[in-house]
Amino acid sequence: LKGPVNYDLDPKEWEQISTYQTDLKKYFDKIGLHLVLDSDDGFAYLYQPSGDDDSGLPRITRRIPLPFDVTLLCVLLREKLAEQTIEDVNMANLLKKEDIYEMLNPFYPKTQNEAVQHREFDRLITKILELGFLRRIEKEKSEFYQIEKIIKVRVRAEELNSIKARLLENNDRKTIQDE
């Protein structure tokens, strides 16, 4: 219940979930949670549907809305994941910190002090790491960030354009730093 299980990071847990998925689904359904096992992308997670049903069960999980800047970075990462082709499997979904800075720059006002802005971007990257949408990887003596496929659940492809449009509209009214 602490977060998603990723095949690459937890192969033993993944195998147990795969083996007992029918029993696990039955168990979690009784308490109002649904087990989702995505074999193609290699992750599993629990979620509690909206309280629209008549089950009468209390909410077990918390729904925490993401702040504007975190949502923005999630959308940009999801967009990047959607556009990347898997030409080099070893470098798939990998970004350098500078790549993330470049993705964020157009949404922030120009500043004379790039160090302050980069600290803000680093704070966002840290938050996305905590949420599990990015993973830090050391490769070839360099630091990279891998976009985790679980981000597809938070930002669905069919919602990508509408979320981005709302973010852009909101960004036109005020700058991110006014949030």
Side-chain angles (χ1 to χ4, degrees):
L1 291 175
K2 291 184 179 182
V5 174
N6 187 317
Y7 172 76
D8 296 335
L9 299 176
D10 304 310
K12 281 185 175 181
E13 286 182 42
W14 176 264
E15 188 60 38
Q16 288 181 328
I17 291 171
S18 296
T19 302
Y20 299 110
Q21 77 175 305
T22 303
D23 293 333
L24 288 169
K25 283 183 179 190
K26 286 179 187 176
Y27 173 78
F28 285 118
D29 279 346
K30 288 178 185 176
I31 61 172
L33 297 175
H34 295 288
L35 173 66
V36 176
L37 188 90
D38 188 326
S39 298
D40 294 338
D41 288 330
F43 61 83
Y45 65 96
L46 291 172
Y47 83 97
Q48 185 171 11
S50 304
D52 301 349
D53 60 9
D54 294 329
S55 68
L57 294 172
R59 185 136 197 93
I60 297 172
T61 59
R62 294 186 311 159
R63 294 184 62 117
I64 302 170
L66 298 177
F68 177 84
D69 53 354
V70 175
T71 302
L72 173 66
L73 185 51
C74 284
V75 167
L76 294 172
L77 291 171
R78 176 62 175 93
E79 202 170 51
K80 190 73 165 174
L81 183 65
E83 72 187 29
Q84 284 182 336
T85 57
I86 313 283
E87 294 169 1
D88 180 4
V89 175
N90 295 328
M91 297 301 281
N93 306 330
L94 294 183
L95 301 169
K96 290 185 176 180
K97 190 180 280 192
E98 293 76 21
D99 298 330
I100 298 172
Y101 292 170
E102 285 180 32
M103 291 166 52
L104 287 166
N105 271 330
F107 297 94
Y108 282 78
K110 298 256 187 240
T111 179
Q112 297 297 325
N113 191 344
E114 281 188 9
V116 170
Q117 192 167 54
H118 287 178
R119 277 196 302 274
E120 174 66 16
F121 292 169
D122 289 343
R123 182 192 64 76
L124 284 174
I125 291 169
T126 300
K127 183 65 177 170
I128 300 296
L129 285 165
E130 291 169 2
L131 291 169
F133 300 138
L134 277 179
R135 181 170 21 135
R136 189 172 295 146
I137 294 176
E138 294 286 328
K139 189 174 187 116
E140 300 168 7
K141 298 182 182 179
S142 295
E143 185 175 77
F144 291 92
Y145 294 92
Q146 180 176 7
I147 304 171
E148 294 292 336
K149 292 181 180 178
I150 190 77
I151 200 167
K152 292 178 179 182
V153 174
R154 182 67 181 200
V155 183
R156 300 192 186 284
E158 58 272 6
E159 300 169 344
L160 195 56
N161 289 333
S162 67
I163 293 171
K164 192 169 182 186
R166 285 194 313 253
L167 287 172
L168 289 171
E169 179 182 314
N170 193 19
N171 194 37
D172 287 343
R173 282 191 237 139
K174 60 184 172 183
T175 65
I176 290 175
Q177 293 175 343
D178 292 336
E179 280 282 308

